[in-house]
Amino acid sequence: MLAWRLPASLRTRMVLTLSALITLAAFTALMYLAVRFASFQLQAQAQAGNALAKLEQPVLQQLIETHDSAGINKVLRKMAAAPGIAAVQIDGKNGAVLYRQGRHTQAPGRLMRFLTGIAGNRTVMVGLNLSGRRQRVLRLTLSNHALNQGVLKLVLNSILFLGVLLAVTLAIIYSLLKRFTAPLKPLTEMARQVSRGNWTPKVTLIESGSRELQELNQAFADSSAAMRHYIRNLEETRELLEHSENRLRTLVNGMHEILFELDHDGNISFLNPAWETLTGFKIEDTLGRPFSDFVMEKKVAAGFTVQNLTGMKEKNREICLRSAAGKRLWVHLDADAQHDPVGRFTGVIGTLGDITQSVELNRLLTKYQDDLYYLSVTDPLTGLYNRRHFDTQLEAILAEHLPKNQSVCLLIVDLDGFKFINDTYGHPAGDDALRAISGLLKKTIRRNDYIARLAGDEFAMVLKNTSVGDATNIAEKLHAAINGTYIDLPVGHIQLQCSIGVAEAPTHGQKAQDLVSAADVALYHSKRRGRNRVEVLSPDISRALMSIFSQGFQLRNALERGDLMPAFQPICDIRTGKPIAYEALARMHHGGATIKAGDFIAVAEELGLTREIDLHIIEQALRLAPTGYGLFLNLDPSSFNDRGFVTQLEELVGPACRSGKSIVIEITERENVTITDTLLADIQALRRLGCKLALDDFGSGYSTYHFLNLFRPEYLKIEGAFVRGMLDHESDRKIVEHIHELAMSFGIETIAESVENEDTRNALLRMGIRNAQGWHLGLPQMLHKH
């Protein structure tokens, strides 16, 4: 605005500038002279007033002493009439005015105040010394009128002189400048045409005697030629830059990766369109915001604070951003801190590539792998480790502890009567029982121990760095806890029972298979001794029993050598005590000892030898059984799966049935047996030969009402555990009574097992049961015929 108001002509501006400088200098000199004049006048007036006061001081002191008021006023009037004095007064001790003479006092003018800085009246005071300690002050008020007039006159005359001087100076300067600046006009015209794009202006330059103007003319000509060259180059460069910029913009806008820039505070200063495509946030709403606002993890977001940005150098780092929809967006980050030439941090430039699908796929794959591994090593029902994991883990535990002379104990826990629970109360009740056992194992296990589910109702507990005594105590506590557990049923509840076998490494084996075999031997010894107990493998257990269990080939040898033979136990009429039939029980001779079937039949099942053993024992029983009595033959229903077995069985029992011998096929349902139409047809075929059918151990975990309904046997053998406990437990007595009543309703004869005393025999008689077997009625005996 100021440049627009000033004259456009350079000469005029220079004239005005010089004039202003001259005016400023003259005005400064004027002000200096005025100030000096005013100061001189003030000083002279003050000196005159002081001299006058000193002169009249003695006279006034005498007049005041004599109390001559008229004389005092006369002297004061005389003093007030003096030049430069406006008023004279005498003040008392308290400042009160006693005498005063003079005229109205004129205040200093504005110009006077500006030059001297005096704003009020000036006074001269002289003390009057009187007797009696009386004090008086003679005060002279100086006049401002003469000063105001003198200063004003001085300033007006100076301004007039200054105006004349300025006019003359301007005329002289303008004339000189007009002559000196005349050559500049064609130069200005040349510059104007060059600015309009005319690089060859037709302007005649004025010759000048000034060397500077001659050089300026030549410089203008040279500059015009150089400018034409530079302009041509700039146009070409501009076209190249515009092309490159368009290509770069197309490349940046077409990038699938996010290109970003952060300022030195960590705020987003640039984004390409990929940001909006991938995150859903609008670019205009994002710019200026901290980048950390869009980072999901707090730890990662902390890396984008100002103090961490200065040294940032990231390469292919995975981070998680939040999208506008609130979802996770996984990206790989490449970013570097930027610095100016002097090393100051200016910001961060980087890229973000979308890897959400690959990250989620990898995580999903990892989860599936973890789930697959978990499923492969755990039991889905109980959540415990399965047999597969147990086998590998036990080897690792033994390898870790045995070299340190630390013993490892193995407990194998088997739920008694599990099949009975499943078949009688349904699989949900069985599952509840298994879960209850696993829960008790988890409560019993110590911090570093290990538990697993080995089979349907079989569990294992590995106790690390534990003696046999401590392991036995743990087993007893676990046994007591299981026995104190009840499973709720729709009506009532059922109490759990278990058998536990305990073995210790390295005493009973240094390898995993040896230790498992030893614990299995202890478990089966527990089963053989009546179940629901804890057994520790010890020297008291027969070496033959251990040998048979751990070395199955000996069972094959016994079968080949004929060391498997039947023992006959009588089935008696309870009233008379006389045998009505004999049951053939398998026995094995080994090392001078006789092994019961219960101690090796599990090995036979694992080796698949039950078919050969059954046929061998049946053949020997038909040959050795007492004549004149019925013969009960035990068969494993799984053997019927082999058609060759059925054919051989019919060939063995057919002649005996046709000869009139009473043959009863005694079967027991097992967990691995599937009732098929073929099995039913085979049983009916045996009946057509003359055989009868008996269901063994009815009421235990291996017999069901389903079997009873399908096969309709002639005999029902009551589980010996209930018979043994009927005198001590009302529940066992009711079960025996219920089974007998059930059999009677089907027209089936009952045979009570495990009758071991006279009181049991009498109790059975009172129930109406007519047939029984047990040690009280007769022990199994080996018979030999030559």
Side-chain angles (χ1 to χ4, degrees):
M1 182 66 71
L2 179 62
W4 177 81
R5 290 180 178 180
L6 290 175
S9 172
L10 177 60
R11 289 194 299 269
T12 305
R13 292 187 180 188
M14 292 178 67
V15 169
L16 291 178
T17 300
L18 290 174
S19 300
L21 291 175
I22 294 172
T23 303
L24 179 62
F27 181 77
T28 302
L30 172 64
M31 289 297 102
Y32 175 76
L33 291 175
V35 170
R36 294 293 296 170
F37 174 77
S39 300
F40 175 77
Q41 291 295 324
L42 290 174
Q43 184 177 6
Q45 190 179 36
Q47 290 176 352
N50 190 52
L52 180 61
K54 293 290 185 180
L55 181 63
E56 298 296 337
Q57 180 183 15
V59 177
L60 290 174
Q61 290 179 168
Q62 184 178 2
L63 292 174
I64 293 172
E65 288 285 353
T66 59
H67 301 287
D68 186 355
S69 299
I72 293 171
N73 289 323
K74 182 180 179 180
V75 172
L76 293 179
R77 279 194 300 271
K78 179 183 177 181
M79 293 176 67
I85 305 299
V88 181
Q89 64 185 46
I90 297 175
D91 298 335
K93 180 179 182 180
N94 296 327
V97 179
L98 302 178
Y99 301 95
R100 188 178 192 283
Q101 294 293 328
R103 57 188 180 274
H104 176 69
T105 303
Q106 184 181 15
R110 293 181 179 178
L111 184 59
M112 187 67 178
R113 289 197 300 272
F114 172 75
L115 294 176
T116 63
I118 297 174
N121 293 323
R122 294 165 294 115
T123 61
V124 175
M125 293 183 294
V126 177
L128 300 178
N129 297 323
L130 304 176
S131 60
R133 295 183 179 179
R134 292 181 297 167
Q135 294 182 356
R136 298 290 185 268
V137 177
L138 175 61
R139 186 187 302 274
L140 281 73
T141 301
L142 302 180
S143 173
N144 293 316
H145 177 72
L147 288 177
N148 289 339
Q149 294 297 321
V151 170
L152 179 61
K153 184 177 180 180
L154 176 63
V155 170
L156 291 176
N157 291 333
S158 297
I159 291 174
L160 179 61
F161 172 76
L162 180 61
V164 174
L165 178 62
L166 182 61
V168 174
T169 302
L170 286 176
I172 295 171
I173 291 174
Y174 185 82
S175 177
L176 292 174
L177 288 177
K178 182 177 181 181
R179 178 181 178 183
F180 292 153
T181 58
L184 294 177
K185 186 172 183 179
L187 287 176
T188 303
E189 180 62 24
M190 179 182 289
R192 184 180 296 111
Q193 292 189 26
V194 169
S195 66
R196 293 173 179 174
N198 183 9
W199 300 105
T200 56
K202 297 179 180 181
V203 177
T204 302
L205 299 178
I206 300 175
E207 293 294 334
S208 173
S210 173
R211 183 169 56 86
E212 290 82 359
L213 289 177
Q214 292 176 0
E215 292 177 354
L216 184 61
N217 290 340
Q218 184 62 39
F220 259 93
D222 294 341
S223 298
S224 176
M227 189 64 70
R228 287 195 299 271
H229 176 71
Y230 291 148
I231 290 296
R232 188 180 304 111
N233 290 341
L234 286 174
E235 286 293 330
E236 294 176 355
T237 304
R238 184 187 64 78
E239 291 177 0
L240 290 175
L241 287 175
E242 184 176 356
H243 178 68
S244 299
E245 182 182 359
N246 290 334
R247 289 185 60 189
L248 181 60
R249 184 180 294 107
T250 302
L251 179 63
V252 170
N253 292 340
M255 286 176 60
H256 295 294
E257 291 186 332
I258 298 171
L259 178 63
F260 71 93
E261 184 176 1
L262 309 181
D263 61 19
H264 56 81
D265 293 324
N267 299 324
I268 301 173
S269 58
F270 173 80
L271 290 168
N272 67 337
W275 170 266
E276 191 167 326
T277 302
L278 293 178
T279 67
F281 290 105
K282 292 187 176 299
I283 293 178
E284 57 269 22
D285 297 336
T286 306
L287 295 178
R289 295 178 60 182
F291 184 80
S292 56
D293 286 355
F294 302 93
V295 179
M296 294 288 282
E297 293 91 348
K298 293 183 179 179
K299 184 176 181 180
V300 177
F304 287 90
T305 55
V306 177
Q307 57 269 27
N308 293 325
L309 288 176
T310 56
M312 176 168 287
K313 190 174 183 64
E314 299 289 351
K315 184 67 176 177
N316 204 26
R317 179 185 180 186
E318 285 189 11
I319 66 172
C320 185
L321 304 180
R322 90 183 148 82
S323 68
K327 296 182 179 179
R328 289 178 174 267
L329 177 66
W330 288 98
V331 295
H332 66 74
L333 167 68
D334 293 331
D336 291 293
Q338 304 296 307
H339 300 82
D340 62 14
V342 298
R344 288 191 299 267
F345 172 68
T346 58
V348 174
I349 294 178
T351 59
L352 301 167
D354 183 15
I355 55 172
T356 303
Q357 290 186 350
S358 61
V359 169
E360 291 180 351
L361 182 61
N362 289 336
R363 294 194 173 190
L364 188 62
L365 180 60
T366 301
K367 180 180 182 300
Y368 285 158
Q369 290 174 342
D370 292 342
D371 292 345
L372 182 61
Y373 174 75
Y374 178 79
L375 292 174
S376 68
V377 299
T378 57
D379 169 51
L381 177 63
T382 62
L384 303 179
Y385 289 113
N386 58 17
R387 182 61 183 259
R388 174 186 175 187
H389 190 269
F390 168 80
D391 290 339
T392 57
Q393 195 66 20
L394 182 58
E395 288 283 4
I397 293 172
L398 293 176
E400 177 186 358
H401 288 78
L402 295 186
K404 302 176 184 178
N405 295 324
Q406 296 176 346
S407 59
V408 177
C409 290
L410 173 63
L411 278 58
I412 295 184
V413 182
D414 186 84
L415 180 60
D416 293 336
F418 176 67
K419 191 67 167 65
F420 174 76
I421 296 174
N422 255 350
D423 296 338
T424 305
Y425 304 108
H427 288 285
D431 292 345
D432 289 342
L434 295 176
R435 281 191 287 263
I437 295 289
S438 66
L440 293 173
L441 286 171
K442 292 174 184 177
K443 291 181 180 178
T444 305
I445 191 174
R446 301 171 305 181
R447 182 173 182 179
N448 294 322
D449 293 337
Y450 175 88
I451 54 177
R453 182 186 178 192
L454 302 183
D457 60 344
E458 193 170 84
F459 299 85
M461 177 182 286
V462 181
L463 307 176
K464 304 176 184 178
N465 194 20
T466 304
S467 64
V468 173
D470 292 339
T472 304
N473 291 334
I474 294 173
E476 293 289 355
K477 292 179 181 178
L478 177 62
H479 180 264
I482 293 175
N483 276 15
T485 301
Y486 293 83
I487 302 300
D488 292 330
L489 301 172
V491 178
H493 57 265
I494 185 171
Q495 181 182 5
L496 299 183
Q497 294 181 345
C498 73
S499 299
I500 303 178
V502 182
E504 183 256 352
T507 303
H508 300 127
Q510 297 188 10
K511 296 182 179 180
Q513 186 56 49
D514 295 339
L515 185 62
V516 172
S517 298
D520 274 335
V521 170
L523 176 65
Y524 280 99
H525 189 62
S526 171
K527 294 284 188 181
R528 187 184 63 176
R529 296 183 61 181
R531 303 179 181 177
N532 194 29
R533 58 190 298 122
V534 176
E535 283 292 339
V536 182
L537 191 65
S538 66
D540 296 336
I541 297 179
S542 168
R543 289 184 178 271
L545 181 62
M546 181 63 190
S547 175
I548 290 171
F549 194 89
S550 60
Q551 302 181 27
F553 71 91
Q554 295 186 11
L555 183 58
R556 291 185 180 276
N557 292 339
L559 186 60
E560 293 174 0
R561 291 195 302 264
D563 288 338
L564 289 173
M565 298 295 292
F568 297 95
Q569 184 176 26
I571 298 173
C572 301
D573 185 323
I574 294 181
R575 290 170 296 180
T576 63
K578 295 181 178 180
I580 60 171
Y582 285 87
E583 180 181 359
L585 303 173
R587 295 291 184 266
M588 183 175 71
H589 295 289
H590 182 78
T594 301
I595 310 300
K596 296 179 181 179
D599 295 332
F600 63 79
I601 195 64
V603 178
E605 291 175 351
E606 292 181 2
L607 298 176
L609 297 177
T610 53
R611 172 181 175 276
E612 288 84 354
I613 292 175
D614 284 348
L615 291 174
H616 177 76
I617 294 298
I618 290 172
E619 181 182 4
Q620 297 301 319
L622 291 172
R623 184 174 63 86
L624 299 174
T627 58
Y629 298 96
L631 180 61
F632 280 68
L633 301 173
N634 288 286
L635 289 179
D636 186 341
S638 64
S639 298
F640 284 89
N641 295 330
D642 186 347
R643 303 311 303 162
F645 170 80
V646 177
T647 301
Q648 289 182 272
L649 179 61
E650 292 177 347
E651 292 176 354
L652 288 175
V653 301
C657 291
R658 287 191 290 271
S659 66
K661 190 172 184 64
S662 176
I663 302 296
V664 180
I665 303 299
E666 191 173 322
I667 63 174
T668 304
E669 185 197 5
R670 301 186 184 278
E671 290 180 299
N672 59 351
V673 174
T674 302
I675 301 176
T676 63
D677 294 338
T678 303
L679 176 60
L680 295 173
D682 291 338
I683 296 296
Q684 294 303 322
L686 291 173
R687 278 178 161 164
R688 285 194 295 271
L689 288 176
C691 297
K692 295 181 181 180
L693 183 65
L695 286 185
D696 192 15
D697 297 333
F698 192 86
S700 71
Y702 300 106
S703 295
T704 67
Y705 293 102
H706 185 52
F707 249 47
L708 179 65
N709 188 45
L710 286 176
F711 292 109
R712 300 291 178 133
E714 284 76 17
Y715 297 97
L716 201 62
K717 300 185 75 172
I718 302 174
E719 164 64 27
F722 300 127
V723 176
R724 286 192 301 271
M726 61 182 291
L727 297 179
D728 299 322
H729 302 286
E730 179 65 16
S731 60
D732 290 340
R733 187 191 66 78
K734 288 184 177 180
I735 290 174
V736 173
E737 194 172 55
H738 170 70
I739 293 174
H740 176 61
E741 292 174 354
L742 179 65
M744 289 179 61
S745 66
F746 279 88
I748 302 172
E749 288 193 47
T750 53
I751 301 174
E753 297 181 309
S754 300
V755 178
E756 298 176 354
N757 52 62
E758 184 65 20
D759 291 338
T760 302
R761 174 177 172 271
N762 292 330
L764 294 171
L765 276 173
R766 288 193 294 272
M767 290 183 187
I769 297 175
R770 296 186 300 173
N771 305 312
Q773 66 183 117
W775 290 359
H776 181 65
L777 300 174
L779 298 175
Q781 295 182 1
M782 306 286 290
L783 300 179
H784 301 278
K785 288 185 179 181
H786 300 285

